[in-house]
């Protein structure tokens, strides 16, 4: 709480490729590649920072990734190398020893911590977001084809991926709000 240290690690030339390949190994269930890169990335990114504190009881990590690191699921990194015969469930994942959380920036995190210490924490409350694009929820036969086209065009492109609207997000968020309110708990929704 009273100090911090900065550790600078030289980034390998193939750093981005390693992360992209690691992520692909998760999606495509390529065990050998996953094990190799999971251990390499742990040794590169996490181990040097934790090694000086191995005798201390650290159980939480706050990660503030940037660039390609925002795509890396740090919890899935491996701190020891399993054999190919080892089941995925028995791997030594980072998440087995550390509770990890992510934040956008150290400054925003610090302001949040300072604000949280000055205010009471909300307990048993819910806030739900549903970025619904249109108030009109009618689905008559005459508008069904028009709505299908509208839904098809309602997407966001990030990089090379297209993301579609979650069509029933408004109903789901309102359902959760109703469940909280039925128990006398505070609930808020932000829609549209």
């Amino acid at each position: 709480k009273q100090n911090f240290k900065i550790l600078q690690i030289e980034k390998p030339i193939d750093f981005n490729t390693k992360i992209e390949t690691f992520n692909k190994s998760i999606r495509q269930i390529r065990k050998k590649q996953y094990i190799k890169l999971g251990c390499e990335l742990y040794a590169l990114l996490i181990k040097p920072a934790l090694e000086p504190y191995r005798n201390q009881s650290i159980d939480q990590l706050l990660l503030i990734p940037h660039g390609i690191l925002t795509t890396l699921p740090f919890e899935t990194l491996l701190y020891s190398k399993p054999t190919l015969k080892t089941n995925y469930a028995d791997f030594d994942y980072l998440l087995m020893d550390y509770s990890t959380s992510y934040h956008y920036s150290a400054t925003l995190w610090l302001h949040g911590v300072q604000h949280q210490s000055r205010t009471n924490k909300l307990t048993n409350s819910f806030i739900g977001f549903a970025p619904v694009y249109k108030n009109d929820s009618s689905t008559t036969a005459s508008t069904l084809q028009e709505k299908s086209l509208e839904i098809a065009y309602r997407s966001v492109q990030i990089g090379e991926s297209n993301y579609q609207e979650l069509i029933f997000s408004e109903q789901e968020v309102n359902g959760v709000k109703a469940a909280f309110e039925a128990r006398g708990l505070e609930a808020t929704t932000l829609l549209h």
Side-chain angles (χ1 to χ4, degrees), residues 136-164:
D136 180 19
S137 61
S138 63
T139 54
T140 62
S142 63
T143 61
L144 191 55
Q145 185 176 9
E146 182 182 317
K147 284 194 167 293
S148 295
L149 287 172
E150 185 181 325
I151 289 168
Y153 288 111
R154 278 193 226 145
S155 66
V156 175
Q157 185 172 5
I158 301 173
E160 295 180 14
S161 300
N162 283 323
Y163 299 92
Q164 300 294 326

Side-chain angles (χ1 to χ4, degrees), residues 103-121:
H103 213 287
Y104 297 110
S105 80
T107 303
L108 289 174
W109 172 78
L110 180 61
H111 287 298
V113 169
Q114 290 171 341
H115 178 73
Q116 195 174 37
S117 67
R118 289 189 303 252
T119 60
N120 294 333
K121 292 182 182 179

Side-chain angles (χ1 to χ4, degrees), residues 62-126:
L62 172 64
L63 304 166
I64 304 172
H66 178 72
I68 189 110
L69 289 174
T70 61
T71 68
L72 180 65
F74 283 84
E75 299 89 344
T76 63
L77 298 180
L78 304 172
Y79 59 84
S80 71
K81 188 173 185 175
T83 66
L84 284 174
K85 293 181 181 180
T86 307
N87 290 325
Y88 278 103
D90 297 324
F91 283 7
D92 291 326
Y93 299 106
L94 184 69
L95 68 84
M96 302 303 269
D97 286 344
Y98 300 97
S99 168
T100 57
S101 58
Y102 295 84
H103 213 287
Y104 297 110
S105 80
T107 303
L108 289 174
W109 172 78
L110 180 61
H111 287 298
V113 169
Q114 290 171 341
H115 178 73
Q116 195 174 37
S117 67
R118 289 189 303 252
T119 60
N120 294 333
K121 292 182 182 179
L122 293 176
T123 57
N124 298 321
S125 60
F126 169 78

Side-chain angles (χ1 to χ4, degrees), residues 8-88:
Q8 185 172 340
I9 301 170
E10 189 169 332
K11 187 166 64 169
I13 295 170
D14 61 346
F15 184 68
N16 288 9
T17 303
K18 283 182 186 286
I19 291 176
E20 290 167 356
T21 306
F22 178 73
N23 289 337
K24 190 182 281 186
S25 76
I26 294 172
R27 289 190 306 273
Q28 297 177 350
I29 313 172
R30 294 185 176 177
K31 196 174 197 178
K32 185 176 180 179
Q33 198 173 49
Y34 177 83
I35 291 170
K36 178 183 180 296
L37 291 170
C39 291
E40 281 182 28
L41 290 169
Y42 173 84
L44 175 69
L45 298 170
I46 303 296
K47 187 176 180 179
L50 292 178
E51 192 67 28
Y53 306 102
R54 67 174 173 235
N55 295 330
Q56 297 179 20
S57 59
I58 295 174
D59 60 358
Q60 297 178 16
L61 300 177
L62 172 64
L63 304 166
I64 304 172
H66 178 72
I68 189 110
L69 289 174
T70 61
T71 68
L72 180 65
F74 283 84
E75 299 89 344
T76 63
L77 298 180
L78 304 172
Y79 59 84
S80 71
K81 188 173 185 175
T83 66
L84 284 174
K85 293 181 181 180
T86 307
N87 290 325
Y88 278 103

